[in-house]
Amino acid sequence: MTNTLPRSARWRPWSHPTRWGVDLAVAIPLLLLETAWLVLDWMFGMGMEVWAAQGKQDRIDAAGLAHIGRVQEMLIVVLVVAVLAGIFRARWTMLAHLLVALLVWLVLAVSQHQWDHDHAPEPGCVRYDAHC
């Protein structure tokens, strides 16, 4: 005699793993789509805005901050989807999203480091000094 799950446990997503084919069919396109969005946002979202600024530093700074904000939002979305994939026991989707989250985190770290480096006070400058 086989043991069947009670009716209430069948609908729960964590009661059984997602099928391998469905998991890969979701994981691969999402991995490609999210990576492509990250590259296209860097090239067109920030790159074209910096090009259109024509050397105006305030517009270049605004484009950099907007890019950092979009990347932060993407990191949050990717982590939420990774958690949902974990709940639905979709191992490949969760692994793909954790890899994308690592990539997004690295892009965010590089962007913030570049922002901090570009806007650092001059060496030897006291922060609240009149000539800084």
Side-chain angles (χ1 to χ4, degrees):
M1 177 177 247
T2 60
N3 292 335
T4 59
L5 293 172
R7 185 174 255 284
S8 64
R10 288 184 199 161
W11 64 271
R12 294 185 181 139
W14 55 85
S15 63
H16 58 284
T18 304
R19 291 189 316 245
W20 185 73
V22 173
D23 189 14
L24 282 177
V26 170
I28 292 170
L30 282 178
L31 174 72
L32 295 174
L33 180 72
E34 291 163 349
T35 305
W37 183 90
L38 192 63
V39 169
L40 290 174
D41 180 59
W42 175 70
M43 288 173 46
F44 293 113
M46 183 178 157
M48 296 296 278
E49 186 65 32
V50 169
W51 174 74
Q54 306 242 336
K56 296 179 183 172
Q57 192 61 40
D58 58 338
R59 289 184 63 191
I60 293 172
D61 291 344
L65 287 176
H67 175 70
I68 289 173
R70 287 189 303 267
V71 172
Q72 286 175 340
E73 290 172 2
M74 184 174 180
L75 181 61
I76 292 168
V77 168
V78 167
L79 289 175
V80 166
V81 173
V83 167
L84 289 175
I87 290 172
F88 282 95
R89 293 178 64 184
R91 291 182 180 103
W92 291 108
T93 304
M94 185 176 70
L95 179 65
H97 277 83
L98 290 176
L99 288 174
V100 171
L102 179 65
L103 177 67
V104 171
W105 179 76
L106 288 173
V107 168
L108 183 63
V110 167
S111 297
Q112 288 179 339
H113 176 72
Q114 183 178 1
W115 174 266
D116 291 341
H117 183 269
D118 291 344
H119 294 88
E122 298 170 5
C125 182
V126 178
R127 186 82 168 153
Y128 297 106
D129 198 10
H131 65 283
C132 284

